[in-house]
Amino acid sequence: MTIETRSARRRRLSITNSDLHNETGVGVGVDYISHLPDALLHHILSSLPIKTAAQSATLSSRWRSLWFTLPDLDFSTASSISDLIITRILNSRPHHSNVRLLRFSSSLTFSRLNALFRTAIRHRIQQLHLHVATNDYFNLPRCVISSDSLRVFNLRSTHPGFRLPPPSVMVSGFRSLNSLSLARMVFHDRPSLVDLFTETSFPVLKKLNLERCFGLEHLSVKCPVLEDFSLQLCFQLQGFDVFGPKLQSIKVSNCFDAYTTLTWVKIVAPNLNTLHWIYNALTDEINIHNFTSSLNQASLSLLPQHFVTNKLPSVSALLSAISPAHSLALDCLCVDIVSSPTYFARYFPPLNNVNCLELSTALRKQNGPGLANIFRSCSVLHTLTIKIVDGGNIGRKDWRRDKWERSASEEEQFWETQIEPLKSFLLHLKIVKIEGFMDCLSEVSLTQFLLKHGSALQQLTLLTTKTKHRDSPIRRREIKSQIMAFPRASSLVKLYYC
């Protein structure tokens, strides 16, 4: 009997494991993950929470090297992490290991924020996303402005805000920036930005978002390759000028000073695809380049204010500008303005391209003429969505079938007079959805009219507001059965009441 030594036994097991791997393709006790390429392992680590990725450094020197060369550092997934720890992590990286993305949120002093900026720029940062709160106003560091590696910069200051350097400094910076988002900038000492967002300062900027610009009164944006522009919560704005031959999307919300005169807007964007004008105060002058058929989607919501009749030319200018859109959304104030007798004396543009329309309205009796005016302008409308907002009970009457049978209501009589003016509208309309349906007289009258004369109608959906409904479940079932029995011009229409 031959006695096997320990070394011979180890060699035999090694050969056996090697043969097993060759035959089955499965290794035994071999760490294949660590032998994957760095790029793939970096991708795996980047998909993990940052603390989990950091813990991988304790596995081996191989994983330690991967952690200290990880290109994407997203600290937003880590709760209560100090900026000092982030700075220490950046300083521990090899000099040649560039950072592609850095994202974090923290409260810190300006000196520590400035140090973190310098460290990130030293590692050739490409995407920088910061949400910070400082103990005082701070100036945007020049090292960020002059960086030639930075492509995406997102800075949101919680309190109290930050200032931009003088124009002489800004004009020579951000030469490589593609996307810029700034929130809570302070302009009390320099309320005008008319010479910053130009080809000289931002030659390759494609996306720009400005939010909560305190003290900003005049803004001019003329970046040659800008495609996406967003402006929000700039309540002191008085003058707004945008020129962008490649602009695809503009969103302006909660802007402009409603308590001053000589406010104005000028927009030239011939290739615009999307325009959202949301809850902005009406300006005295609006000069918007008439968009071509490239305008696909537009929405208009107005900020309620006194003496709106003095701003009717501005409303007409806005409606004329968005009239080429294929998809259009108007809020309840727009519908109210169009419903007023004063507006009928002014020009309401044809909406010949609109095939999808969304209206928010209280749908009272006095809104009927305005809705008819809008419907008449939409000669090729395919889909109509009406969102009924809660405007109280003023002008809203309950509908009862017994009253309906005795005599036609004023609402029904009005809609019957619109058969001929709305002929094209009724011939093209296919889908209707009414949200917030409460079985009021004005709502039922419109529903009956669309069913009775919509010859192309394919689907009509009534979505009720159950939590605010005034009728009992039994009464609602009775109303539902009565509505389902309304006469229909189209034999293909499907009526849903839910």
Side-chain angles (χ1 to χ4, degrees), residues 151-338:
R151 299 293 183 269
V152 178
F153 184 40
N154 185 341
L155 175 59
R156 178 177 294 272
S157 176
T158 302
H159 181 78
F162 65 95
R163 300 184 181 95
L164 294 177
S168 58
V169 176
M170 294 291 295
V171 73
S172 60
F174 291 128
R175 306 290 299 175
S176 303
L177 203 63
N178 300 130
S179 177
L180 175 64
S181 180
L182 301 175
R184 210 177 184 91
M185 289 184 293
V186 180
F187 294 94
H188 294 303
D189 57 338
R190 184 162 50 91
S192 179
L193 275 184
V194 296
D195 54 359
L196 174 59
F197 296 106
T198 63
E199 181 178 5
T200 305
S201 302
F202 295 90
V204 295
L205 189 66
K206 293 185 177 181
K207 185 175 182 179
L208 174 62
N209 174 61
L210 302 177
E211 183 177 337
R212 294 185 183 275
C213 301
F214 297 109
L216 181 62
E217 297 178 358
H218 297 91
L219 174 64
S220 178
V221 177
K222 297 182 179 180
C223 303
V225 298
L226 189 65
E227 297 177 357
D228 189 325
F229 174 64
S230 175
L231 182 69
Q232 304 175 60
L233 300 169
C234 297
F235 302 108
Q236 296 165 298
L237 193 64
Q238 301 175 17
F240 179 57
D241 183 11
V242 175
F243 172 77
K246 294 188 177 181
L247 262 174
Q248 297 290 314
S249 175
I250 294 179
K251 179 181 179 180
V252 181
S253 64
N254 296 282
C255 291
F256 299 103
D257 192 338
Y259 303 100
T260 189
T261 57
L262 302 179
T263 54
W264 55 273
V265 171
K266 182 180 179 181
I267 298 177
V268 179
N271 295 308
L272 198 66
N273 180 268
T274 303
L275 174 63
H276 296 297
W277 201 261
I278 309 297
Y279 296 126
N280 299 300
L282 284 170
T283 56
D284 296 290
E285 296 182 10
I286 295 182
N287 183 7
I288 300 181
H289 184 276
N290 289 328
F291 305 118
T292 61
S293 57
S294 64
L295 187 62
N296 181 57
Q297 185 178 9
S299 59
L300 177 59
S301 300
L302 301 178
L303 181 68
Q305 62 190 63
H306 298 294
F307 310 111
V308 72
T309 53
N310 298 329
K311 306 285 188 176
L312 287 180
S314 298
V315 177
S316 294
L318 285 170
L319 289 172
S320 298
I322 63 179
S323 60
H326 295 274
S327 176
L328 179 63
L330 301 176
D331 78 331
C332 54
L333 184 57
C334 293
V335 176
D336 289 342
I337 292 175
V338 175

Side-chain angles (χ1 to χ4, degrees), residues 29 77-78 89 91-92 104 110 112 215 225 239 291 295 305 383 406 423 459 465 475 494:
T77 60
I89 291 174
N91 287 328
S92 302
F104 76 92
F110 170 64
R112 280 158 49 179
V225 298
F291 305 118
L295 187 62
Q305 62 190 63
T383 302
R406 285 200 300 266
K423 184 177 180 180
Q459 179 177 315
T465 306
R475 181 57 185 166
K494 295 181 179 180

